[in-house]
Amino acid sequence: MKKLVFAAFCLLAPLAVSANTVTSFNYFTAVDDYNPYLWLSQRYVTHDDCAYQDAWTLRIWRNAIYARHGYIFKSNDLYSFFRQYSWYNPRYSNVEKKLSKIERANVAFIKRYEY
């Protein structure tokens, strides 16, 4: 049902936009490139975020930061997990230099809860 509504929106939305209106919304990117872990790159992780998460979730969160930058996972379970997302494009064996200050802090913070 969601796909049907989305398809109808994609077909009808351009009709509602006048020729003089500029829109930055990319219909396909909004759905196909959805990254539920993007928040890990946008704000610092807190105790409340991690306190009641299981080890698998924390491992995914920590590695989602690397996946976002195209890290090629050696672990089959992580590689398989992130391959389900269209935004994951494995290209690099080392992404440490690509991480922002927030991402580096989040990796270290999550590790403390993970182990």
Side-chain angles (χ1 to χ4, degrees), residues 7-111:
F9 175 76
C10 289
L11 292 173
L12 299 175
L15 300 176
V17 177
S18 72
N20 296 329
T21 303
V22 176
T23 180
S24 64
F25 184 76
N26 181 331
Y27 302 111
F28 298 104
T29 300
V31 171
D32 292 342
D33 289 340
Y34 173 69
N35 183 343
Y37 307 104
L38 192 57
W39 67 275
L40 294 161
S41 298
Q42 297 173 334
R43 70 168 178 85
Y44 291 101
V45 175
T46 67
H47 166 75
D48 290 339
D49 293 322
C50 296
Y52 300 104
Q53 301 299 327
D54 61 28
W56 172 250
T57 300
L58 293 170
R59 184 172 181 231
I60 292 298
W61 285 2
R62 181 172 52 84
N63 284 287
I65 294 168
Y66 295 109
R68 182 172 178 268
H69 293 283
Y71 181 72
I72 302 168
F73 292 102
K74 296 173 186 86
S75 169
N76 286 336
D77 60 340
L78 290 173
Y79 180 79
S80 296
F81 180 83
F82 288 110
R83 285 300 295 169
Q84 72 180 316
Y85 295 102
S86 62
W87 53 263
Y88 177 58
N89 186 9
R91 296 172 294 196
Y92 307 107
S93 58
N94 187 346
V95 296
E96 289 294 327
K97 292 181 180 177
K98 296 177 179 287
L99 301 184
S100 71
K101 180 180 174 183
I102 290 174
E103 291 170 327
R104 281 192 291 276
N106 285 345
V107 165
F109 191 85
I110 293 168
K111 272 186 183 180

